[in-house]
PDB file of all heavy atoms in Angstrom:
ATOM      1  N   ALA I   1     120.233 -15.731-129.993  1.00  0.00           N
ATOM      2  CA  ALA I   1     119.036 -16.223-129.296  1.00  0.00           C
ATOM      3  C   ALA I   1     117.958 -15.147-129.236  1.00  0.00           C
ATOM      4  O   ALA I   1     116.775 -15.436-129.458  1.00  0.00           O
ATOM      5  CB  ALA I   1     119.399 -16.689-127.889  1.00  0.00           C
ATOM      6  N   ILE I   2     118.339 -13.912-128.948  1.00  0.00           N
ATOM      7  CA  ILE I   2     117.370 -12.811-128.902  1.00  0.00           C
ATOM      8  C   ILE I   2     116.729 -12.614-130.268  1.00  0.00           C
ATOM      9  O   ILE I   2     115.505 -12.464-130.382  1.00  0.00           O
ATOM     10  CB  ILE I   2     118.026 -11.513-128.402  1.00  0.00           C
ATOM     11  CG1 ILE I   2     118.342 -11.623-126.913  1.00  0.00           C
ATOM     12  CG2 ILE I   2     117.135 -10.302-128.674  1.00  0.00           C
ATOM     13  CD1 ILE I   2     119.237 -10.515-126.383  1.00  0.00           C
ATOM     14  N   CYS I   3     117.552 -12.617-131.309  1.00  0.00           N
ATOM     15  CA  CYS I   3     117.018 -12.459-132.672  1.00  0.00           C
ATOM     16  C   CYS I   3     115.999 -13.546-132.977  1.00  0.00           C
ATOM     17  O   CYS I   3     114.931 -13.282-133.533  1.00  0.00           O
ATOM     18  CB  CYS I   3     118.142 -12.512-133.704  1.00  0.00           C
ATOM     19  SG  CYS I   3     119.226 -11.071-133.716  1.00  0.00           S
ATOM     20  N   HIS I   4     116.320 -14.779-132.594  1.00  0.00           N
ATOM     21  CA  HIS I   4     115.448 -15.911-132.916  1.00  0.00           C
ATOM     22  C   HIS I   4     114.224 -15.995-132.006  1.00  0.00           C
ATOM     23  O   HIS I   4     113.094 -16.077-132.489  1.00  0.00           O
ATOM     24  CB  HIS I   4     116.255 -17.205-132.820  1.00  0.00           C
ATOM     25  CG  HIS I   4     115.484 -18.423-133.181  1.00  0.00           C
ATOM     26  ND1 HIS I   4     115.063 -18.690-134.461  1.00  0.00           N
ATOM     27  CD2 HIS I   4     115.041 -19.450-132.425  1.00  0.00           C
ATOM     28  CE1 HIS I   4     114.415 -19.818-134.478  1.00  0.00           C
ATOM     29  NE2 HIS I   4     114.377 -20.306-133.255  1.00  0.00           N
ATOM     30  N   GLU I   5     114.445 -15.946-130.708  1.00  0.00           N
ATOM     31  CA  GLU I   5     113.374 -16.183-129.743  1.00  0.00           C
ATOM     32  C   GLU I   5     112.469 -14.973-129.521  1.00  0.00           C
ATOM     33  O   GLU I   5     111.266 -15.113-129.412  1.00  0.00           O
ATOM     34  CB  GLU I   5     113.961 -16.630-128.403  1.00  0.00           C
ATOM     35  CG  GLU I   5     114.639 -17.983-128.455  1.00  0.00           C
ATOM     36  CD  GLU I   5     113.655 -19.107-128.683  1.00  0.00           C
ATOM     37  OE1 GLU I   5     112.826 -19.360-127.786  1.00  0.00           O
ATOM     38  OE2 GLU I   5     113.720 -19.727-129.764  1.00  0.00           O
ATOM     39  N   ARG I   6     113.052 -13.803-129.414  1.00  0.00           N
ATOM     40  CA  ARG I   6     112.255 -12.615-129.076  1.00  0.00           C
ATOM     41  C   ARG I   6     111.819 -11.819-130.295  1.00  0.00           C
ATOM     42  O   ARG I   6     110.762 -11.203-130.283  1.00  0.00           O
ATOM     43  CB  ARG I   6     113.029 -11.718-128.121  1.00  0.00           C
ATOM     44  CG  ARG I   6     113.263 -12.420-126.788  1.00  0.00           C
ATOM     45  CD  ARG I   6     113.766 -11.493-125.759  1.00  0.00           C
ATOM     46  NE  ARG I   6     114.019 -12.191-124.503  1.00  0.00           N
ATOM     47  CZ  ARG I   6     114.521 -11.615-123.455  1.00  0.00           C
ATOM     48  NH1 ARG I   6     114.855 -10.340-123.494  1.00  0.00           N
ATOM     49  NH2 ARG I   6     114.714 -12.307-122.351  1.00  0.00           N
ATOM     50  N   MET I   7     112.658 -11.800-131.327  1.00  0.00           N
ATOM     51  CA  MET I   7     112.331 -11.023-132.520  1.00  0.00           C
ATOM     52  C   MET I   7     111.690 -11.887-133.600  1.00  0.00           C
ATOM     53  O   MET I   7     111.237 -11.372-134.622  1.00  0.00           O
ATOM     54  CB  MET I   7     113.590 -10.334-133.058  1.00  0.00           C
ATOM     55  CG  MET I   7     114.178  -9.346-132.058  1.00  0.00           C
ATOM     56  SD  MET I   7     115.779  -8.685-132.566  1.00  0.00           S
ATOM     57  CE  MET I   7     115.302  -7.718-133.988  1.00  0.00           C
ATOM     58  N   GLY I   8     111.669 -13.192-133.381  1.00  0.00           N
ATOM     59  CA  GLY I   8     111.007 -14.107-134.306  1.00  0.00           C
ATOM     60  C   GLY I   8     111.729 -14.308-135.625  1.00  0.00           C
ATOM     61  O   GLY I   8     111.119 -14.723-136.607  1.00  0.00           O
ATOM     62  N   MET I   9     113.023 -14.024-135.655  1.00  0.00           N
ATOM     63  CA  MET I   9     113.779 -14.169-136.895  1.00  0.00           C
ATOM     64  C   MET I   9     114.165 -15.632-137.108  1.00  0.00           C
ATOM     65  O   MET I   9     114.538 -16.330-136.169  1.00  0.00           O
ATOM     66  CB  MET I   9     115.047 -13.308-136.855  1.00  0.00           C
ATOM     67  CG  MET I   9     114.778 -11.820-136.795  1.00  0.00           C
ATOM     68  SD  MET I   9     116.294 -10.837-136.534  1.00  0.00           S
ATOM     69  CE  MET I   9     117.042 -10.970-138.154  1.00  0.00           C
ATOM     70  N   SER I  10     114.087 -16.080-138.345  1.00  0.00           N
ATOM     71  CA  SER I  10     114.550 -17.421-138.685  1.00  0.00           C
ATOM     72  C   SER I  10     116.071 -17.399-138.775  1.00  0.00           C
ATOM     73  O   SER I  10     116.697 -16.337-138.841  1.00  0.00           O
ATOM     74  CB  SER I  10     113.962 -17.857-140.030  1.00  0.00           C
ATOM     75  OG  SER I  10     114.532 -17.086-141.083  1.00  0.00           O
ATOM     76  N   ALA I  11     116.670 -18.573-138.823  1.00  0.00           N
ATOM     77  CA  ALA I  11     118.121 -18.657-138.974  1.00  0.00           C
ATOM     78  C   ALA I  11     118.555 -17.970-140.272  1.00  0.00           C
ATOM     79  O   ALA I  11     119.568 -17.261-140.295  1.00  0.00           O
ATOM     80  CB  ALA I  11     118.573 -20.111-138.947  1.00  0.00           C
ATOM     81  N   ASP I  12     117.794 -18.145-141.342  1.00  0.00           N
ATOM     82  CA  ASP I  12     118.103 -17.486-142.622  1.00  0.00           C
ATOM     83  C   ASP I  12     118.068 -15.963-142.478  1.00  0.00           C
ATOM     84  O   ASP I  12     118.929 -15.266-143.021  1.00  0.00           O
ATOM     85  CB  ASP I  12     117.127 -17.917-143.715  1.00  0.00           C
ATOM     86  CG  ASP I  12     117.352 -19.340-144.179  1.00  0.00           C
ATOM     87  OD1 ASP I  12     118.505 -19.815-144.117  1.00  0.00           O
ATOM     88  OD2 ASP I  12     116.367 -19.979-144.611  1.00  0.00           O
ATOM     89  N   GLU I  13     117.070 -15.456-141.777  1.00  0.00           N
ATOM     90  CA  GLU I  13     116.960 -14.005-141.586  1.00  0.00           C
ATOM     91  C   GLU I  13     118.114 -13.461-140.751  1.00  0.00           C
ATOM     92  O   GLU I  13     118.630 -12.377-141.033  1.00  0.00           O
ATOM     93  CB  GLU I  13     115.617 -13.662-140.930  1.00  0.00           C
ATOM     94  CG  GLU I  13     114.433 -13.885-141.845  1.00  0.00           C
ATOM     95  CD  GLU I  13     113.091 -13.776-141.135  1.00  0.00           C
ATOM     96  OE1 GLU I  13     112.996 -14.150-139.947  1.00  0.00           O
ATOM     97  OE2 GLU I  13     112.135 -13.321-141.783  1.00  0.00           O
ATOM     98  N   ILE I  14     118.531 -14.215-139.746  1.00  0.00           N
ATOM     99  CA  ILE I  14     119.661 -13.784-138.922  1.00  0.00           C
ATOM    100  C   ILE I  14     120.933 -13.757-139.776  1.00  0.00           C
ATOM    101  O   ILE I  14     121.710 -12.806-139.719  1.00  0.00           O
ATOM    102  CB  ILE I  14     119.840 -14.695-137.692  1.00  0.00           C
ATOM    103  CG1 ILE I  14     118.608 -14.622-136.790  1.00  0.00           C
ATOM    104  CG2 ILE I  14     121.097 -14.313-136.907  1.00  0.00           C
ATOM    105  CD1 ILE I  14     118.562 -15.684-135.704  1.00  0.00           C
ATOM    106  N   ALA I  15     121.123 -14.784-140.592  1.00  0.00           N
ATOM    107  CA  ALA I  15     122.299 -14.834-141.466  1.00  0.00           C
ATOM    108  C   ALA I  15     122.281 -13.687-142.472  1.00  0.00           C
ATOM    109  O   ALA I  15     123.322 -13.102-142.773  1.00  0.00           O
ATOM    110  CB  ALA I  15     122.369 -16.180-142.186  1.00  0.00           C
ATOM    111  N   THR I  16     121.110 -13.330-142.975  1.00  0.00           N
ATOM    112  CA  THR I  16     120.993 -12.211-143.907  1.00  0.00           C
ATOM    113  C   THR I  16     121.334 -10.899-143.206  1.00  0.00           C
ATOM    114  O   THR I  16     121.999 -10.035-143.770  1.00  0.00           O
ATOM    115  CB  THR I  16     119.570 -12.147-144.503  1.00  0.00           C
ATOM    116  OG1 THR I  16     119.324 -13.362-145.223  1.00  0.00           O
ATOM    117  CG2 THR I  16     119.409 -10.969-145.441  1.00  0.00           C
ATOM    118  N   ALA I  17     120.888 -10.750-141.955  1.00  0.00           N
ATOM    119  CA  ALA I  17     121.165  -9.533-141.195  1.00  0.00           C
ATOM    120  C   ALA I  17     122.643  -9.429-140.802  1.00  0.00           C
ATOM    121  O   ALA I  17     123.133  -8.342-140.537  1.00  0.00           O
ATOM    122  CB  ALA I  17     120.292  -9.480-139.943  1.00  0.00           C
ATOM    123  N   HIS I  18     123.325 -10.565-140.750  1.00  0.00           N
ATOM    124  CA  HIS I  18     124.752 -10.615-140.381  1.00  0.00           C
ATOM    125  C   HIS I  18     125.494 -11.384-141.474  1.00  0.00           C
ATOM    126  O   HIS I  18     125.855 -12.550-141.288  1.00  0.00           O
ATOM    127  CB  HIS I  18     124.925 -11.304-139.020  1.00  0.00           C
ATOM    128  CG  HIS I  18     124.223 -10.608-137.913  1.00  0.00           C
ATOM    129  ND1 HIS I  18     124.757  -9.500-137.280  1.00  0.00           N
ATOM    130  CD2 HIS I  18     123.030 -10.841-137.323  1.00  0.00           C
ATOM    131  CE1 HIS I  18     123.910  -9.099-136.348  1.00  0.00           C
ATOM    132  NE2 HIS I  18     122.858  -9.885-136.363  1.00  0.00           N
ATOM    133  N   PRO I  19     125.750 -10.745-142.613  1.00  0.00           N
ATOM    134  CA  PRO I  19     126.307 -11.473-143.763  1.00  0.00           C
ATOM    135  C   PRO I  19     127.702 -12.060-143.543  1.00  0.00           C
ATOM    136  O   PRO I  19     128.108 -12.945-144.292  1.00  0.00           O
ATOM    137  CB  PRO I  19     126.321 -10.429-144.877  1.00  0.00           C
ATOM    138  CG  PRO I  19     126.131  -9.116-144.229  1.00  0.00           C
ATOM    139  CD  PRO I  19     125.467  -9.355-142.909  1.00  0.00           C
ATOM    140  N   SER I  20     128.416 -11.625-142.524  1.00  0.00           N
ATOM    141  CA  SER I  20     129.748 -12.196-142.275  1.00  0.00           C
ATOM    142  C   SER I  20     129.668 -13.513-141.507  1.00  0.00           C
ATOM    143  O   SER I  20     130.679 -14.180-141.295  1.00  0.00           O
ATOM    144  CB  SER I  20     130.618 -11.204-141.511  1.00  0.00           C
ATOM    145  OG  SER I  20     130.101 -10.999-140.209  1.00  0.00           O
ATOM    146  N   ILE I  21     128.455 -13.901-141.085  1.00  0.00           N
ATOM    147  CA  ILE I  21     128.262 -15.130-140.315  1.00  0.00           C
ATOM    148  C   ILE I  21     127.503 -16.127-141.182  1.00  0.00           C
ATOM    149  O   ILE I  21     126.477 -15.798-141.776  1.00  0.00           O
ATOM    150  CB  ILE I  21     127.487 -14.837-139.018  1.00  0.00           C
ATOM    151  CG1 ILE I  21     128.268 -13.836-138.176  1.00  0.00           C
ATOM    152  CG2 ILE I  21     127.232 -16.109-138.238  1.00  0.00           C
ATOM    153  CD1 ILE I  21     127.498 -13.311-136.997  1.00  0.00           C
ATOM    154  N   SER I  22     128.015 -17.341-141.248  1.00  0.00           N
ATOM    155  CA  SER I  22     127.380 -18.357-142.088  1.00  0.00           C
ATOM    156  C   SER I  22     126.122 -18.918-141.423  1.00  0.00           C
ATOM    157  O   SER I  22     125.951 -18.829-140.201  1.00  0.00           O
ATOM    158  CB  SER I  22     128.359 -19.496-142.374  1.00  0.00           C
ATOM    159  OG  SER I  22     128.557 -20.280-141.210  1.00  0.00           O
ATOM    160  N   LEU I  23     125.294 -19.517-142.241  1.00  0.00           N
ATOM    161  CA  LEU I  23     124.083 -20.156-141.730  1.00  0.00           C
ATOM    162  C   LEU I  23     124.447 -21.280-140.765  1.00  0.00           C
ATOM    163  O   LEU I  23     123.789 -21.467-139.743  1.00  0.00           O
ATOM    164  CB  LEU I  23     123.239 -20.679-142.895  1.00  0.00           C
ATOM    165  CG  LEU I  23     121.878 -21.248-142.560  1.00  0.00           C
ATOM    166  CD1 LEU I  23     121.011 -20.225-141.823  1.00  0.00           C
ATOM    167  CD2 LEU I  23     121.181 -21.711-143.836  1.00  0.00           C
ATOM    168  N   ALA I  24     125.519 -21.998-141.064  1.00  0.00           N
ATOM    169  CA  ALA I  24     125.975 -23.063-140.164  1.00  0.00           C
ATOM    170  C   ALA I  24     126.362 -22.499-138.798  1.00  0.00           C
ATOM    171  O   ALA I  24     126.071 -23.113-137.761  1.00  0.00           O
ATOM    172  CB  ALA I  24     127.155 -23.807-140.787  1.00  0.00           C
ATOM    173  N   GLN I  25     127.007 -21.331-138.776  1.00  0.00           N
ATOM    174  CA  GLN I  25     127.376 -20.709-137.507  1.00  0.00           C
ATOM    175  C   GLN I  25     126.134 -20.285-136.724  1.00  0.00           C
ATOM    176  O   GLN I  25     126.093 -20.404-135.498  1.00  0.00           O
ATOM    177  CB  GLN I  25     128.292 -19.514-137.746  1.00  0.00           C
ATOM    178  CG  GLN I  25     129.682 -19.908-138.210  1.00  0.00           C
ATOM    179  CD  GLN I  25     130.489 -18.718-138.665  1.00  0.00           C
ATOM    180  OE1 GLN I  25     130.023 -17.874-139.426  1.00  0.00           O
ATOM    181  NE2 GLN I  25     131.726 -18.641-138.199  1.00  0.00           N
ATOM    182  N   ILE I  26     125.127 -19.783-137.433  1.00  0.00           N
ATOM    183  CA  ILE I  26     123.865 -19.408-136.772  1.00  0.00           C
ATOM    184  C   ILE I  26     123.231 -20.648-136.150  1.00  0.00           C
ATOM    185  O   ILE I  26     122.795 -20.633-134.992  1.00  0.00           O
ATOM    186  CB  ILE I  26     122.887 -18.740-137.766  1.00  0.00           C
ATOM    187  CG1 ILE I  26     123.470 -17.459-138.359  1.00  0.00           C
ATOM    188  CG2 ILE I  26     121.520 -18.511-137.118  1.00  0.00           C
ATOM    189  CD1 ILE I  26     123.747 -16.360-137.373  1.00  0.00           C
ATOM    190  N   HIS I  27     123.170 -21.731-136.891  1.00  0.00           N
ATOM    191  CA  HIS I  27     122.586 -22.973-136.358  1.00  0.00           C
ATOM    192  C   HIS I  27     123.401 -23.496-135.175  1.00  0.00           C
ATOM    193  O   HIS I  27     122.825 -23.991-134.200  1.00  0.00           O
ATOM    194  CB  HIS I  27     122.468 -24.027-137.456  1.00  0.00           C
ATOM    195  CG  HIS I  27     121.297 -23.811-138.352  1.00  0.00           C
ATOM    196  ND1 HIS I  27     119.994 -24.032-137.962  1.00  0.00           N
ATOM    197  CD2 HIS I  27     121.229 -23.363-139.627  1.00  0.00           C
ATOM    198  CE1 HIS I  27     119.171 -23.752-138.949  1.00  0.00           C
ATOM    199  NE2 HIS I  27     119.891 -23.322-139.973  1.00  0.00           N
ATOM    200  N   ALA I  28     124.730 -23.364-135.241  1.00  0.00           N
ATOM    201  CA  ALA I  28     125.568 -23.791-134.111  1.00  0.00           C
ATOM    202  C   ALA I  28     125.258 -22.948-132.875  1.00  0.00           C
ATOM    203  O   ALA I  28     125.172 -23.470-131.766  1.00  0.00           O
ATOM    204  CB  ALA I  28     127.047 -23.691-134.480  1.00  0.00           C
ATOM    205  N   ALA I  29     125.091 -21.638-133.072  1.00  0.00           N
ATOM    206  CA  ALA I  29     124.764 -20.755-131.947  1.00  0.00           C
ATOM    207  C   ALA I  29     123.400 -21.119-131.359  1.00  0.00           C
ATOM    208  O   ALA I  29     123.229 -21.143-130.136  1.00  0.00           O
ATOM    209  CB  ALA I  29     124.782 -19.292-132.390  1.00  0.00           C
ATOM    210  N   LEU I  30     122.434 -21.402-132.216  1.00  0.00           N
ATOM    211  CA  LEU I  30     121.106 -21.782-131.722  1.00  0.00           C
ATOM    212  C   LEU I  30     121.163 -23.136-131.006  1.00  0.00           C
ATOM    213  O   LEU I  30     120.520 -23.316-129.964  1.00  0.00           O
ATOM    214  CB  LEU I  30     120.095 -21.810-132.864  1.00  0.00           C
ATOM    215  CG  LEU I  30     119.714 -20.442-133.413  1.00  0.00           C
ATOM    216  CD1 LEU I  30     118.863 -20.569-134.678  1.00  0.00           C
ATOM    217  CD2 LEU I  30     118.990 -19.606-132.363  1.00  0.00           C
ATOM    218  N   ALA I  31     121.926 -24.077-131.535  1.00  0.00           N
ATOM    219  CA  ALA I  31     122.070 -25.372-130.865  1.00  0.00           C
ATOM    220  C   ALA I  31     122.704 -25.188-129.489  1.00  0.00           C
ATOM    221  O   ALA I  31     122.246 -25.778-128.500  1.00  0.00           O
ATOM    222  CB  ALA I  31     122.910 -26.324-131.723  1.00  0.00           C
ATOM    223  N   TYR I  32     123.738 -24.353-129.417  1.00  0.00           N
ATOM    224  CA  TYR I  32     124.376 -24.089-128.129  1.00  0.00           C
ATOM    225  C   TYR I  32     123.366 -23.435-127.180  1.00  0.00           C
ATOM    226  O   TYR I  32     123.286 -23.801-126.004  1.00  0.00           O
ATOM    227  CB  TYR I  32     125.605 -23.185-128.305  1.00  0.00           C
ATOM    228  CG  TYR I  32     126.357 -22.993-127.019  1.00  0.00           C
ATOM    229  CD1 TYR I  32     127.413 -23.837-126.680  1.00  0.00           C
ATOM    230  CD2 TYR I  32     126.010 -21.983-126.117  1.00  0.00           C
ATOM    231  CE1 TYR I  32     128.098 -23.680-125.480  1.00  0.00           C
ATOM    232  CE2 TYR I  32     126.688 -21.828-124.922  1.00  0.00           C
ATOM    233  CZ  TYR I  32     127.726 -22.673-124.617  1.00  0.00           C
ATOM    234  OH  TYR I  32     128.389 -22.526-123.423  1.00  0.00           O
ATOM    235  N   TYR I  33     122.598 -22.491-127.705  1.00  0.00           N
ATOM    236  CA  TYR I  33     121.588 -21.824-126.873  1.00  0.00           C
ATOM    237  C   TYR I  33     120.613 -22.835-126.283  1.00  0.00           C
ATOM    238  O   TYR I  33     120.360 -22.832-125.080  1.00  0.00           O
ATOM    239  CB  TYR I  33     120.838 -20.774-127.688  1.00  0.00           C
ATOM    240  CG  TYR I  33     119.607 -20.242-126.991  1.00  0.00           C
ATOM    241  CD1 TYR I  33     119.714 -19.487-125.824  1.00  0.00           C
ATOM    242  CD2 TYR I  33     118.333 -20.518-127.465  1.00  0.00           C
ATOM    243  CE1 TYR I  33     118.596 -19.012-125.164  1.00  0.00           C
ATOM    244  CE2 TYR I  33     117.208 -20.046-126.819  1.00  0.00           C
ATOM    245  CZ  TYR I  33     117.335 -19.294-125.670  1.00  0.00           C
ATOM    246  OH  TYR I  33     116.219 -18.831-125.010  1.00  0.00           O
ATOM    247  N   PHE I  34     120.077 -23.721-127.112  1.00  0.00           N
ATOM    248  CA  PHE I  34     119.087 -24.668-126.605  1.00  0.00           C
ATOM    249  C   PHE I  34     119.705 -25.685-125.650  1.00  0.00           C
ATOM    250  O   PHE I  34     119.023 -26.163-124.745  1.00  0.00           O
ATOM    251  CB  PHE I  34     118.347 -25.344-127.759  1.00  0.00           C
ATOM    252  CG  PHE I  34     117.403 -24.405-128.467  1.00  0.00           C
ATOM    253  CD1 PHE I  34     117.609 -24.062-129.789  1.00  0.00           C
ATOM    254  CD2 PHE I  34     116.332 -23.836-127.791  1.00  0.00           C
ATOM    255  CE1 PHE I  34     116.744 -23.176-130.434  1.00  0.00           C
ATOM    256  CE2 PHE I  34     115.473 -22.944-128.422  1.00  0.00           C
ATOM    257  CZ  PHE I  34     115.682 -22.621-129.747  1.00  0.00           C
ATOM    258  N   ASP I  35     120.990 -25.971-125.813  1.00  0.00           N
ATOM    259  CA  ASP I  35     121.677 -26.865-124.871  1.00  0.00           C
ATOM    260  C   ASP I  35     122.022 -26.170-123.556  1.00  0.00           C
ATOM    261  O   ASP I  35     122.272 -26.834-122.558  1.00  0.00           O
ATOM    262  CB  ASP I  35     122.978 -27.408-125.483  1.00  0.00           C
ATOM    263  CG  ASP I  35     122.751 -28.551-126.453  1.00  0.00           C
ATOM    264  OD1 ASP I  35     121.628 -29.112-126.481  1.00  0.00           O
ATOM    265  OD2 ASP I  35     123.695 -28.886-127.195  1.00  0.00           O
ATOM    266  N   HIS I  36     122.091 -24.832-123.558  1.00  0.00           N
ATOM    267  CA  HIS I  36     122.481 -24.054-122.381  1.00  0.00           C
ATOM    268  C   HIS I  36     121.482 -22.924-122.124  1.00  0.00           C
ATOM    269  O   HIS I  36     121.850 -21.831-121.736  1.00  0.00           O
ATOM    270  CB  HIS I  36     123.893 -23.467-122.585  1.00  0.00           C
ATOM    271  CG  HIS I  36     124.925 -24.502-122.826  1.00  0.00           C
ATOM    272  ND1 HIS I  36     125.206 -24.985-124.078  1.00  0.00           N
ATOM    273  CD2 HIS I  36     125.744 -25.169-121.971  1.00  0.00           C
ATOM    274  CE1 HIS I  36     126.153 -25.900-123.984  1.00  0.00           C
ATOM    275  NE2 HIS I  36     126.489 -26.031-122.723  1.00  0.00           N
ATOM    276  N   LYS I  37     120.211 -23.206-122.354  1.00  0.00           N
ATOM    277  CA  LYS I  37     119.155 -22.184-122.326  1.00  0.00           C
ATOM    278  C   LYS I  37     119.107 -21.412-121.009  1.00  0.00           C
ATOM    279  O   LYS I  37     119.024 -20.182-121.013  1.00  0.00           O
ATOM    280  CB  LYS I  37     117.800 -22.831-122.617  1.00  0.00           C
ATOM    281  CG  LYS I  37     116.697 -21.847-122.898  1.00  0.00           C
ATOM    282  CD  LYS I  37     115.463 -22.589-123.390  1.00  0.00           C
ATOM    283  CE  LYS I  37     114.324 -21.710-123.776  1.00  0.00           C
ATOM    284  NZ  LYS I  37     114.163 -20.441-123.166  1.00  0.00           N
ATOM    285  N   ALA I  38     119.154 -22.079-119.894  1.00  0.00           N
ATOM    286  CA  ALA I  38     119.053 -21.389-118.596  1.00  0.00           C
ATOM    287  C   ALA I  38     120.199 -20.399-118.409  1.00  0.00           C
ATOM    288  O   ALA I  38     119.991 -19.258-117.973  1.00  0.00           O
ATOM    289  CB  ALA I  38     119.014 -22.399-117.452  1.00  0.00           C
ATOM    290  N   GLU I  39     121.405 -20.816-118.764  1.00  0.00           N
ATOM    291  CA  GLU I  39     122.582 -19.956-118.622  1.00  0.00           C
ATOM    292  C   GLU I  39     122.481 -18.725-119.539  1.00  0.00           C
ATOM    293  O   GLU I  39     122.704 -17.597-119.101  1.00  0.00           O
ATOM    294  CB  GLU I  39     123.841 -20.746-118.976  1.00  0.00           C
ATOM    295  CG  GLU I  39     125.096 -19.912-119.076  1.00  0.00           C
ATOM    296  CD  GLU I  39     126.242 -20.633-119.771  1.00  0.00           C
ATOM    297  OE1 GLU I  39     126.196 -21.868-119.924  1.00  0.00           O
ATOM    298  OE2 GLU I  39     127.198 -19.936-120.161  1.00  0.00           O
ATOM    299  N   ILE I  40     122.133 -18.945-120.796  1.00  0.00           N
ATOM    300  CA  ILE I  40     122.065 -17.843-121.757  1.00  0.00           C
ATOM    301  C   ILE I  40     120.910 -16.907-121.406  1.00  0.00           C
ATOM    302  O   ILE I  40     121.052 -15.680-121.455  1.00  0.00           O
ATOM    303  CB  ILE I  40     121.921 -18.368-123.203  1.00  0.00           C
ATOM    304  CG1 ILE I  40     123.068 -19.313-123.565  1.00  0.00           C
ATOM    305  CG2 ILE I  40     121.810 -17.216-124.194  1.00  0.00           C
ATOM    306  CD1 ILE I  40     124.444 -18.700-123.526  1.00  0.00           C
ATOM    307  N   ASP I  41     119.758 -17.464-121.029  1.00  0.00           N
ATOM    308  CA  ASP I  41     118.628 -16.621-120.627  1.00  0.00           C
ATOM    309  C   ASP I  41     118.988 -15.769-119.407  1.00  0.00           C
ATOM    310  O   ASP I  41     118.604 -14.602-119.324  1.00  0.00           O
ATOM    311  CB  ASP I  41     117.386 -17.464-120.345  1.00  0.00           C
ATOM    312  CG  ASP I  41     116.721 -17.974-121.617  1.00  0.00           C
ATOM    313  OD1 ASP I  41     117.021 -17.462-122.714  1.00  0.00           O
ATOM    314  OD2 ASP I  41     115.882 -18.900-121.505  1.00  0.00           O
TER     315      ASP I  41
END
């Protein structure tokens, strides 16, 4: 969430920065973040 929201990184950029994590996992993390935004923030 920090990478995406505060650093402005796209899901592709996050996946590139963390090559052991798939793009699908990044999207799942972002989906979870938006579903639980108050808790994660």
Side-chain angles (χ1 to χ4, degrees):
I2 289 168
C3 289
H4 182 69
E5 294 292 293
R6 295 191 182 177
M7 298 172 67
M9 295 173 74
S10 69
D12 288 331
E13 290 170 326
I14 298 168
T16 299
H18 300 279
S20 66
I21 300 171
S22 72
L23 186 57
Q25 289 170 313
I26 299 297
H27 281 288
L30 289 172
Y32 185 92
Y33 168 66
F34 289 116
D35 281 347
H36 301 87
K37 192 171 183 332
E39 171 195 344
I40 303 298
D41 285 345

